[in-house]
Amino acid sequence: MGLFDGIAKAFSNADFKAEDQRVGASHILIKGDDTDQVMETIKNVMGEIQARAGEGDEPLPQVFSELARRESQCPSKDKGGDLGMFAQGAMVKEFDQALFPDDATLEPQPGNIIGPVITDFGAHIIFVTKRDVNRDQVEEKLARND
């Protein structure tokens, strides 16, 4: 296969999307069998975020990261809840629905907090940190030699 064949294959690949949306997010996961207790914890965490960052006293990313380290029950808590950048389909369905809604005008923008989002893992508070379009799909496909 020549270089041009690889480029042609990358462009014809069914996975290629003209607008490959990516989002960066952090989250706080609260688990538990007692739904009332889980929701009370979510309410308290969201209240603390509002009290500390909503007034503009502290930067929201710093507050969220600190609360993720303290409250989250996900291994990502060691990184302040940071999940990195990911595309639609990389997370569970409920995450996708919250971060990649069918109506693009409803997409949460960087700095937005969403939640609670209920999944099989528990209840999540999601902080959108970045939104981007992946324009390196061709290079990625060629590098993987798909």
Side-chain angles (χ1 to χ4, degrees):
M1 178 188 285
L3 172 65
F4 294 111
D5 293 331
I7 292 172
K9 185 176 179 186
F11 276 108
S12 66
N13 193 309
D15 293 336
F16 181 81
K17 300 174 188 142
E19 292 293 318
D20 185 23
Q21 294 287 323
R22 304 286 173 117
V23 68
S26 296
H27 80 137
I28 298 170
L29 171 64
I30 306 298
K31 300 179 186 181
D33 293 328
D34 184 349
T35 305
D36 291 337
Q37 181 61 43
V38 168
M39 296 313 289
E40 184 66 26
T41 302
I42 291 283
K43 180 181 169 186
N44 291 339
V45 169
M46 291 184 83
E48 186 171 346
I49 291 169
Q50 178 63 36
R52 293 175 57 191
E55 305 294 319
D57 296 338
E58 298 179 63
L60 179 56
Q62 177 183 324
V63 170
F64 196 91
S65 179
E66 179 187 318
L67 289 173
R69 282 183 172 87
R70 187 180 80 205
E71 300 289 341
S72 186
Q73 295 169 304
C74 177
S76 68
K77 74 180 188 175
D78 295 337
K79 299 183 291 181
D82 184 19
L83 298 171
M85 293 290 291
F86 52 90
Q88 187 171 2
M91 299 291 179
V92 295
K93 179 179 75 171
E94 296 85 357
F95 255 68
D96 272 1
Q97 290 171 341
L99 296 170
F100 302 100
D102 291 335
D103 183 350
T105 63
L106 300 176
E107 288 179 347
Q109 297 303 305
N112 288 158
I113 292 185
I114 309 161
V117 174
I118 308 301
T119 70
D120 289 341
F121 297 103
H124 308 257
I125 302 170
I126 304 170
F127 174 47
V128 180
T129 57
K130 186 174 183 179
R131 189 169 279 286
D132 200 3
V133 176
N134 179 23
R135 291 184 171 83
D136 297 326
Q137 295 174 82
V138 174
E139 289 88 353
E140 287 178 8
K141 296 271 183 219
L142 289 172
R144 290 193 315 251
N145 202 16
D146 284 350

